Amino acid sequence: MSAILDPTVSAIAREATSESGLRIVRRRNIGRWVAAALLLAALAWLVRAFALGDIEWRVVGEFFTARAIMTGLVNTIIMTACAMALGITLGVVFAVMYMSPNPVLRLTALFYIWFFRGTPLILQLLIWFNLALVFPTMGIPGLFEVRTVDVITPFMATLLGLGMNQGAYTAEVVRSGILSVDVGQTEAAKSIGMTRLTTLRRIVLPQAMRVIIPPVGNEFISMVKLTSIASVIQYSEILRNAQTIYYANARVIELLIVAAAWYLAVVTLLQIGQYFLEKHFSKGRGDRTQKRQPAGRTPAPAEGAASRTEA
Amino acid sequence: MDHSVEPMVVARGVDKYFGTLKALDRVSLDVAQGEVVCIIGPSGSGKSTFLRCINQLEVIEAGAIHVAGELVGYRRVGDALHELSDVEIARQRLSSGMVFQRFNLFTHMTALQNVMEGPVTVQRRPRAEVRDEALALLERVGLAAKRDAYPLEMSGGQQQRVAIARALAMKPRLMLFDEPTSALDPELVGEVLTVMRDLAASGMTMIVVTHELGFAREVANRVVFMDHGGVVEVGPPKEILSSPQHPRTRDFIAAVLN
Ligand SMILES: Nc1ncnc2c1ncn2[C@@H]1O[C@H](COP(=O)(O)OP(=O)(O)OP(=O)(O)O)[C@@H](O)[C@H]1O
Ligand SMILES: [Mg+2]
């Protein structure tokens, strides 16, 4: 018996044979066009409102690259980078401690996460900033000692506050990432003689990244904005410097627009970075969004890891 | 000192519990160097558990296992057995390689990277030398062309052959196979069995948990029948598979053949 029906006896077989060579016309997606039109109209209205409103755009332009704003921008970026670096490091360390067979490490991690997630961030900032009230000096008595107020500058207090708080949240994200990796991966790693830590570093964490990056990217972006609460302890980031300026010249909205534009610029860059990181860590996962190929309908030649050519 | 007469694996009175369930019940077995032993038995009889105890993916509750002349998991000091550290256990696992039912290739690495990972990261051998060996191993399992493919881009049979190459890259003295073909489509079983047959012919010591009685009959020096966590019957494949003594063995073989 032949594998396919004889087209001369089956109508459907005849139809399918003739269809297999036809041209493909893509779906129209009328909804998308309507949505785009509505959105454009709304945007035009918004632009008009701002253009006609009582905003001195000249002032916005003038202060856009003002020295105080630039200093604030640099401080915001530095603080975001440092606080996230601290947060991610602590997050990984405490996630691993939390999952360790050692009960002492587990309890320590539990306590850390409990404390830093359980109290408001602004309170933690104030505690760090006022640490000198409790410990006037720090160090090892007799060996070296420094005055706490000299160490806990607004920068240090903000870094510790934001970073340690972030660490508690990131620890949970990292933990769920680690849990998402199949135990078979760990067993295979052990079977080729890897220790627990090597397995974590070489096998589990790289695969957990796929799950970890989207929420951490999200938190990175939150952090850019969260640095602004450090203005309560005199850390001069963008928002605080913008405020200092408008207290003097009363151009409130203009300076807020300047600050907003810079926040958006930084966040945009971060989002682009996140896109590339996600792409990097989805190596070996294949491409799930394949479409039927239009021209000639033969699949394009294999594009590295992204395509699956085997039937 | 001449080790060649010493068995590769010696297991004596091994017990393993999962909670109250006794998964292994006084299991004893010796495997000589260069010997191929196939373990058969019904589902849940403890075959995988026994294999996993040999390379310490499970910790045993009683008894002792020696692999390649070393007591597994403990150091004997006088009358006491001292538990080994994570690092020492990792070192002991180097004498055996394991092939899993579900392949467990590292999904974020290509075939070549999978094979190179152990020698480079664990044994810290020079990358160039390891790479040549890894390519030769992929050639040996017939997958030189797939060296840059990720696991998800390969068929089950191809993944399993890469997994065998990955285990061999560590130059183990003993290979453990846990149902290496039972997650495969029937037409892919043959390619994996061929690789295993060649490996056996090269003199590798192998313990193979399998439902492929044909493979056991052809390649095994001895067949072990396990049931309810214990070894019921051991012998040459002809005896166990054709004229089993124990009624439970007889029932199992009759059931598999039908
Ligand atoms: N991690 C575990 N936790 C609890 N029970 C387990 C665990 N692993 C295995 N068991 C139990 O131990 C017994 C032996 O399991 P094992 O996997 O060794 O059987 P097997 O002979 O390999 O079976 P199969 O042919 O189905 O693979 C079974 O009853 C199983 O349910
Ligand atoms: Mg099993």
Side-chain angles (χ1 to χ4, degrees):
Chain A
M1 210 186 85
S2 161
I4 59 171
L5 286 174
D6 185 350
T8 56
V9 297
S10 156
I12 294 180
R14 211 158 35 240
E15 213 177 305
T17 310
S18 73
E19 279 160 356
S20 64
L22 299 184
R23 187 170 60 91
I24 288 172
V25 179
R26 292 256 178 257
R27 264 191 300 274
R28 267 275 149 65
N29 298 321
I30 291 173
R32 290 185 199 172
W33 290 104
V34 173
L38 286 177
L39 202 69
L40 274 180
L43 208 61
W45 179 81
L46 207 66
V47 168
R48 200 181 105 91
F50 268 89
L52 297 182
D54 191 9
I55 300 169
E56 280 281 1
W57 289 99
R58 197 185 44 75
V59 176
V60 173
E62 192 179 310
F63 280 97
F64 199 67
T65 52
R67 158 152 296 201
I69 295 292
M70 288 296 105
T71 319
L73 175 65
V74 170
N75 284 345
T76 294
I77 291 174
I78 291 177
M79 182 53 69
T80 304
C82 292
M84 279 312 282
L86 181 63
I88 291 171
T89 311
L90 290 175
V92 172
V93 168
F94 282 101
V96 171
M97 282 169 64
Y98 195 71
M99 302 177 88
S100 144
N102 180 335
V104 179
L105 295 183
R106 227 169 28 233
L107 267 177
T108 311
L110 191 70
F111 176 81
Y112 170 83
I113 294 171
W114 168 77
F115 181 81
F116 286 95
R117 281 205 310 191
T119 51
L121 177 56
I122 196 156
L123 184 147
Q124 290 173 32
L125 282 184
L126 290 170
I127 288 180
W128 286 113
F129 193 57
N130 294 304
L131 207 60
L133 299 179
V134 198
F135 308 106
T137 60
M138 33 200 305
I140 302 167
L143 264 177
F144 78 101
E145 263 179 289
V146 285
R147 293 191 326 147
T148 303
V149 281
D150 295 337
V151 180
I152 304 289
T153 56
F155 177 86
M156 275 309 277
T158 309
L159 174 62
L160 289 171
L162 293 178
M164 307 231 3
N165 188 263
Q166 187 58 49
Y169 285 93
T170 309
E172 287 295 276
V173 172
V174 172
R175 196 166 69 91
S176 63
I178 290 175
L179 288 175
S180 78
V181 178
D182 180 24
V183 287
Q185 296 286 310
T186 311
E187 292 188 345
K190 282 183 181 169
S191 79
I192 58 169
M194 284 191 185
T195 57
R196 232 175 63 81
L197 280 180
T198 310
T199 304
L200 202 65
R201 181 172 61 82
R202 293 289 306 170
I203 308 300
V204 176
L205 281 179
Q207 293 186 40
M209 282 300 180
R210 224 169 42 82
V211 173
I212 294 173
I213 287 174
V216 168
N218 193 32
E219 286 175 0
F220 222 110
I221 285 165
S222 300
M223 182 62 86
V224 175
K225 299 168 292 169
L226 218 51
T227 52
S228 65
I229 82 163
S231 58
V232 299
I233 56 169
Q234 286 111 54
Y235 182 68
S236 51
E237 41 65 58
I238 304 184
L239 186 60
R240 184 183 151 84
N241 289 7
Q243 285 176 313
T244 313
I245 299 175
Y246 73 60
Y247 289 147
N249 70 4
R251 292 292 184 187
V252 178
I253 285 296
E254 286 81 356
L255 279 147
L256 288 180
I257 288 176
V258 167
W262 278 117
Y263 280 118
L264 282 172
V266 174
V267 166
T268 306
L269 284 180
L270 284 176
Q271 266 184 19
I272 294 171
Q274 180 179 353
Y275 170 80
F276 283 105
L277 266 185
E278 278 181 23
K279 230 172 120 151
H280 175 76
F281 281 105
S282 64
K283 259 187 327 198
R285 284 277 153 186
D287 186 354
R288 302 259 165 80
T289 57
Q290 283 176 12
K291 272 191 182 169
R292 194 169 178 179
Q293 303 291 326
R297 311 250 299 267
T298 42
E303 258 180 52
S307 64
R308 188 188 154 125
T309 44
E310 294 253 320
Chain B
M1 206 161 53
D2 184 16
H3 283 291
S4 61
V5 290
E6 289 290 343
M8 185 65 78
V9 178
V10 177
R12 282 290 175 276
V14 174
D15 283 355
K16 170 72 193 171
Y17 290 86
F18 291 112
T20 54
L21 177 91
K22 195 163 191 181
L24 291 182
D25 186 7
R26 314 211 63 75
V27 172
S28 294
L29 183 73
D30 293 355
V31 178
Q33 289 190 28
E35 193 179 22
V36 177
V37 171
C38 284
I39 303 181
I40 61 173
S43 181
S45 56
K47 309 181 296 292
S48 300
T49 305
F50 180 55
L51 221 53
R52 293 163 58 82
C53 289
I54 293 177
N55 79 343
Q56 307 189 57
L57 290 177
E58 307 287 355
V59 176
I60 62 178
E61 263 84 34
I65 301 178
H66 283 249
V67 174
E70 264 191 272
L71 175 62
V72 147
Y74 300 92
R75 186 181 322 102
R76 183 169 181 166
V77 181
D79 282 347
L81 295 181
H82 294 247
E83 278 181 4
L84 294 182
S85 71
D86 183 41
V87 175
E88 289 166 311
I89 289 173
R91 183 189 55 73
Q92 284 195 332
R93 287 204 185 99
L94 291 179
S95 51
S96 61
M98 177 122 178
V99 174
F100 300 86
Q101 184 173 358
R102 308 252 12 133
F103 330 134
N104 298 351
L105 286 182
F106 304 133
T107 55
H108 60 308
M109 297 182 184
T110 63
L112 182 61
Q113 288 169 338
N114 263 282
V115 179
M116 290 175 63
E117 180 62 19
V120 170
T121 307
V122 178
Q123 296 175 323
R124 303 197 174 285
R125 294 174 44 205
R127 185 170 280 276
E129 173 189 314
V130 169
R131 192 184 147 85
D132 290 343
E133 277 181 23
L135 288 172
L137 277 169
L138 284 177
E139 184 86 60
R140 179 168 163 193
V141 298
L143 286 173
K146 285 283 171 189
R147 54 187 246 192
D148 293 324
Y150 286 96
L152 281 181
E153 297 162 7
M154 291 187 272
S155 71
Q158 292 170 337
Q159 289 187 57
Q160 193 61 298
R161 285 184 283 152
V162 173
I164 294 173
R166 174 178 67 184
L168 291 177
M170 303 301 288
K171 306 198 168 118
R173 302 186 57 196
L174 164 72
M175 284 285 285
L176 307 169
F177 294 84
D178 190 3
E179 300 197 35
T181 58
S182 54
L184 297 178
D185 291 339
E187 77 272 20
L188 301 178
V189 169
E191 62 191 45
V192 172
L193 292 184
T194 303
V195 168
M196 292 170 61
R197 216 175 272 124
D198 291 348
L199 192 59
S202 76
M204 177 63 79
T205 311
M206 293 164 57
I207 305 180
V208 185
V209 173
T210 187
H211 291 297
E212 299 287 333
L213 298 190
F215 176 83
R217 185 187 303 274
E218 182 196 343
V219 179
N221 300 107
R222 279 185 304 155
V223 171
V224 176
F225 175 71
M226 283 183 74
D227 197 11
H228 293 114
V231 171
V232 176
E233 203 170 342
V234 186
K238 271 207 295 292
E239 278 174 31
I240 302 290
L241 300 176
S242 306
S243 50
Q245 299 305 302
H246 204 286
R248 276 192 281 169
T249 318
R250 227 171 288 150
D251 292 348
F252 173 75
I253 287 171
V256 171
L257 291 182
N258 287 323

